[in-house]
Amino acid sequence: MILYRAAWVLPIVAPPIRDGSVLVHDGRIVGVFAEQSPARIQQPGDAGQQEPSLEVIDLGDVAVLPGLVNAHTHLELSWMRDKIPPSDSMPAWAASLIALRRAHDGDPRAPIAEAIEEGRRAGTAIVGDVTNTLVADQLLGESPLAGAIFYEVLGLNAAAPDQLVTAAQTELERLTPRRLWRRAVVPHAPYSVSAELFRAIGSAAGDRPVSVHLGESREEMEFLQSGTGAWRDLLGRLGVWNERWQPPGCGPVEYLDRLGLLNERLIAVHGTQLPDGELTRLAGAGATLVTCPRSNRWTGAGTPPIDRFYASGVQVAIGTDSLASVEDLNLFGELAYLRRIAPHIPAARFLASATIAGATALGFGQEFGSIEAGKRANLIAVRTPAGLEDVEEYLVSGLQPDDIQWLETRGNAEC
Ligand SMILES: [Zn+2]
């Protein structure tokens, strides 16, 4: 049993505690305390049982918080780092990505392993990883991370949507089960998935979270309204256009609602172009919106309306997106950019988005995302200046991996 003392403890579900402490045992959090006296701490276990010895570790000027949640990334694209320049048009950017992917036949595993390590060093505990190949599955399963693997399918002209989904599910079932990993078949986006395929994915999902790119670009909004624009042109050039596809004539959230996918398990990624009515509809369904603002800037999707996101009442989580459209996988960098584009949102809300909101959306809210008794002690300590007054604001100011260490818990919470 270890008692960590720190200048700050951030439970996330409660205000920061100055001069706080966290008691951990066998990989689990036993308690959080405002006082630093171990004498006041009740030891767990039945009377008569031998009580574990207590080790007290004074961490000094650090803030202890839960490991962060990167709710949206594509680790298999890590080899694309710095290979696709920023664009002011998302379909043009996507065309560059597709061309690069078609020209490449190398092994992506070494860049994936480096990216996992990079995320871990930057304090990431959980990821929502979107994949078309499942190539990262084993590397993730062997890493200290936990999370969701979203096996993404596409097809605007898929002939047999149900079979496509069943085949993808079967592939997932053949993989080694891993306790801290959940896998699900998910749709890519409204401009690349037919209505029938959306329905098939929705009905096969069961109680699993379903992630989808939604409301990302202006061109997507146009495509759904009228079936025209740069996405339509690109789909034609790629030879995947479906002449029978009909524009729904509505926004992307309403479209998913009609197709039966709008519910509390929906993880809508980006939402950069969503008007207030669509955000309210997401909020009403209990869905989660994942914002990836640095990626939106890179791909030409635009600047996400962060103030409107939070004002709508929707649960907001945060992702970096892939290294094809962001400079690093450091969520603290994402937080600093959020602070720049939304100076009036309280830092506490950003921190909740980067922890408990993402953990809950990915299906790990009972185990991760806050410092509460019973949860896994997946905790980081971030170096803080002496005499710091506003620790939450400091944590969204742009921290680097050198400022971050993982706390050892002596035990892996196998129970
Ligand atoms: Zn994505």
Side-chain angles (χ1 to χ4, degrees):
M1 186 171 293
I2 308 173
L3 182 77
Y4 284 110
R5 292 171 163 176
W8 295 95
V9 172
L10 283 92
I12 301 295
V13 291
I17 303 166
R18 195 192 286 258
D19 295 327
S21 34
V22 184
L23 186 64
V24 305
H25 181 57
D26 269 350
R28 294 269 172 189
I29 296 161
V30 177
V32 190
F33 308 95
E35 301 88 357
Q36 290 202 339
S37 165
R40 295 177 60 91
I41 292 163
Q42 284 189 328
Q43 309 257 349
D46 299 328
Q49 240 179 23
Q50 199 186 356
E51 291 188 344
S53 62
L54 179 68
E55 181 182 0
V56 179
I57 299 179
D58 198 333
L59 297 165
D61 283 320
V62 301
V64 173
L65 65 156
L68 303 187
V69 182
N70 187 350
H72 183 75
T73 186
H74 306 244
L75 288 166
E76 69 194 16
L77 304 184
S78 296
W79 64 273
M80 292 186 178
R81 184 175 215 149
D82 295 328
K83 287 196 164 57
I84 308 170
S87 172
D88 56 9
S89 153
M90 208 211 143
W93 184 86
S96 304
L97 183 146
I98 292 162
L100 179 64
R101 180 139 66 176
R102 286 182 174 178
H104 181 82
D105 60 357
D107 187 339
R109 279 176 295 185
I112 292 171
E114 281 167 33
I116 291 171
E117 180 58 29
E118 176 179 325
R120 183 73 185 169
R121 278 201 309 273
T124 304
I126 310 182
V127 297
D129 187 44
V130 179
T131 176
N132 304 117
T133 63
L134 299 172
V135 66
D137 189 90
Q138 187 177 354
L139 291 164
L140 281 169
E142 291 167 356
S143 79
L145 298 174
I149 309 267
F150 295 122
Y151 193 19
E152 181 182 79
V153 294
L154 294 85
L156 207 59
N157 50 13
D162 288 316
Q163 277 143 277
L164 188 63
V165 174
T166 305
Q169 297 264 42
T170 305
E171 274 188 83
L172 292 185
E173 281 153 22
R174 287 201 187 116
L175 296 169
T176 312
R178 300 181 196 276
R179 208 164 32 81
L180 288 178
W181 288 92
R182 313 232 164 99
R183 305 180 181 107
V185 177
V186 303
H188 171 248
Y191 51 83
S192 58
V193 172
S194 67
E196 297 74 23
L197 185 52
F198 266 121
R199 282 200 197 91
I201 294 166
S203 54
D207 60 358
R208 287 178 281 253
V210 172
S211 157
V212 62
H213 299 87
L214 206 70
E216 186 171 2
S217 62
R218 293 175 296 277
E219 294 85 351
E220 176 186 331
M221 306 300 279
E222 178 188 352
F223 181 74
L224 290 181
Q225 281 295 339
S226 60
T228 58
W231 280 123
R232 165 69 185 88
D233 298 344
L234 179 59
L235 294 165
R237 288 205 303 282
L238 293 170
V240 294
W241 175 244
N242 177 357
E243 288 298 340
R244 287 177 292 111
W245 189 85
Q246 292 292 324
C250 64
V253 178
E254 181 175 345
Y255 183 41
L256 285 199
D257 199 359
R258 291 183 195 171
L259 298 173
L261 276 96
L262 182 62
N263 55 47
E264 69 285 356
R265 298 182 308 283
L266 182 72
I267 300 176
V269 181
H270 297 303
T272 318
Q273 299 297 331
L274 293 182
D276 284 345
E278 292 253 289
L279 291 171
T280 306
R281 197 185 272 257
L282 272 183
T288 297
L289 178 68
V290 178
T291 185
C292 311
R294 293 187 300 170
S295 170
N296 294 159
R297 175 179 58 175
W298 190 300
T299 62
T303 304
I306 302 298
D307 293 293
R308 290 200 293 111
F309 286 173
Y310 283 97
S312 75
V314 72
Q315 281 293 332
V316 181
I318 303 172
T320 58
D321 215 338
S322 82
L323 284 169
S325 61
V326 74
E327 51 268 42
D328 58 50
L329 297 182
N330 179 2
L331 268 173
F332 284 104
E334 211 68 47
L335 286 166
Y337 186 60
L338 276 167
R339 167 47 81 229
R340 248 177 67 195
I341 61 175
H344 304 299
I345 300 292
R349 299 203 72 178
F350 289 151
L351 293 170
S353 289
T355 53
I356 189 67
T360 303
L362 296 175
F364 291 89
Q366 301 296 319
E367 296 271 308
F368 293 93
S370 62
I371 306 184
E372 293 179 87
K375 285 199 176 181
R376 286 173 189 270
N378 244 280
L379 306 175
I380 54 173
V382 176
R383 192 160 45 216
T384 53
L388 182 66
E389 284 302 317
D390 189 338
V391 67
E392 292 169 319
E393 203 56 48
Y394 180 75
L395 290 171
V396 300
S397 68
L399 300 170
Q400 294 301 321
D402 286 351
D403 301 316
I404 299 159
Q405 68 173 107
W406 284 92
L407 295 189
E408 205 201 315
T409 60
R410 314 272 161 84
N412 54 10
E414 285 304 321
C415 50

